[in-house]
């Protein structure tokens, strides 16, 4: 009879132990890639928060974007000003956020699915593996 696999318990230096805590692993192959090294330090930091936001969202956003597969829809997450400014305290101005997000898009880490910039709605992004293929 198979034993039930025990759930991973974060170590004390990884988490405060709260039940709602999530993690976002970053693998060495990404850290050592030329594309990761081409990002600014702020863009690298933003990516970590984007990935954490992806895991923190229990219900995935459903963009009105018919060309996405179900698997791609599952890779979507939202990131809006109330998150990057008020919740995470990453930026104080829009320009720097969009500059760093554009770098993540350019180097293939994230794709913009829907922009809420002009409509004052949540922007929807998708994690991407294009960083592995982009020179």
């Amino acid at each position: 009879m198979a034993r039930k696999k025990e759930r991973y318990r974060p170590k004390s230096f990884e988490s405060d132990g709260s039940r709602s805590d999530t993690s976002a692993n970053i693998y060495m192959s990404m850290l050592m890639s030329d594309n990761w090294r081409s990002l600014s330090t702020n863009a690298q930091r933003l990516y970590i928060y984007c990935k954490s936001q992806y895991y923190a969202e229990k219900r995935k956003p459903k963009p009105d974007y018919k060309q996405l597969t179900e698997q791609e829809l599952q890779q979507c997450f939202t990131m809006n000003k109330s998150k990057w400014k008020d919740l995470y305290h990453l930026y104080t101005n829009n320009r720097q956020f969009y500059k760093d997000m554009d770098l993540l898009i350019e180097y293939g880490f994230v794709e913009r699915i829907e922009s809420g910039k002009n409509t004052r709605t949540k922007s929807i992004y998708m994690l991407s593996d294009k960083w592995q293929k982009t020179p």
Side-chain angles (χ1 to χ4, degrees):
M1 194 155 91
R3 279 193 272 163
K4 187 175 180 180
K5 187 174 180 180
E6 192 171 319
R7 215 175 125 200
Y8 178 77
R9 293 177 192 237
K11 296 171 182 52
S12 63
F13 60 85
E14 294 176 308
S15 170
D16 65 3
S18 61
R19 294 182 59 93
S20 62
D21 212 358
T22 60
S23 68
N25 295 337
I26 304 291
Y27 289 90
M28 191 58 72
S29 57
M30 181 182 282
L31 294 175
M32 300 304 288
S33 72
D34 290 339
N35 283 346
W36 182 263
R37 292 177 179 179
S38 296
L39 295 173
S40 67
T41 310
N42 281 341
Q44 291 172 345
R45 185 172 158 214
L46 176 59
Y47 177 80
I48 293 167
Y49 278 87
C50 287
K51 192 163 180 191
S52 182
Q53 179 63 33
Y54 163 78
Y55 283 109
E57 289 180 341
K58 300 295 183 215
R59 292 185 320 235
K60 297 298 176 195
K62 297 290 186 194
D64 187 25
Y65 200 73
K66 308 294 186 230
Q67 298 170 342
L68 293 179
T69 66
E70 188 60 37
Q71 182 180 2
E72 289 171 328
L73 283 172
Q74 290 303 311
Q75 293 171 226
C76 290
F77 65 95
T78 59
M79 183 61 76
N80 58 347
K81 188 174 184 177
S82 68
K83 290 178 183 172
W84 56 257
K85 183 177 182 187
D86 301 331
L87 178 62
Y88 299 134
H89 304 285
L90 293 174
Y91 302 95
T92 56
N93 65 62
N94 295 357
R95 188 181 326 170
Q96 190 61 48
F97 168 76
Y98 286 109
K99 181 180 174 186
D100 291 338
M101 186 57 82
D102 288 344
L103 278 175
L104 291 177
I105 293 166
E106 177 184 345
Y107 285 101
F109 292 92
V110 171
E111 293 181 43
R112 184 179 291 119
I113 303 302
E114 284 183 9
S115 175
K117 187 176 181 180
N118 295 328
T119 58
R120 298 179 61 101
T121 58
K122 291 180 180 179
S123 293
I124 300 176
Y125 298 94
M126 182 176 74
L127 295 176
S128 173
D129 61 0
K130 291 180 181 174
W131 62 269
Q132 299 173 28
K133 303 163 187 94
T134 308

